[in-house]
Amino acid sequence: MSFDYKKLEKELESACSILQKEFQTKFDSNRHISVRGAQLEAFIEELQKKFENTADAFLQHHALEKDIEARKKVLTIVKLYAKKCIEEYSKVE
């Protein structure tokens, strides 16, 4: 089966952007003080959860949960976008 994975990519970009804004607000305020490494680690953990949920929702929406090739492609896309998101967030910090 062939699917347009652009929708998944847009969802991952959006999730990355939202998470970056949330973390900037959270860590720029005086409410939360953290060492840079701990902040990045927390960001990566949250990003992983968000991206896993996004990937699972995409697979479910297209009834691809049992399609091994589709799952591989989705996970490859997720890994690429996660790396890009982490690199972008690291630059902001």
Side-chain angles (χ1 to χ4, degrees), residues 6-18:
K6 293 291 181 193
K7 184 173 191 283
L8 173 63
E9 293 171 1
K10 287 182 189 241
E11 290 175 10
L12 293 171
E13 286 175 5
S14 177
C16 174
S17 178
I18 290 168

Side-chain angles (χ1 to χ4, degrees), residues 23 26-43 89 93:
F23 266 70
K26 182 178 180 179
F27 287 100
D28 284 346
S29 71
N30 290 330
R31 295 179 286 130
H32 199 294
I33 299 171
S34 177
V35 178
R36 181 181 161 98
Q39 180 179 347
L40 182 59
E41 185 178 322
F43 178 81
Y89 183 72
E93 290 303 302

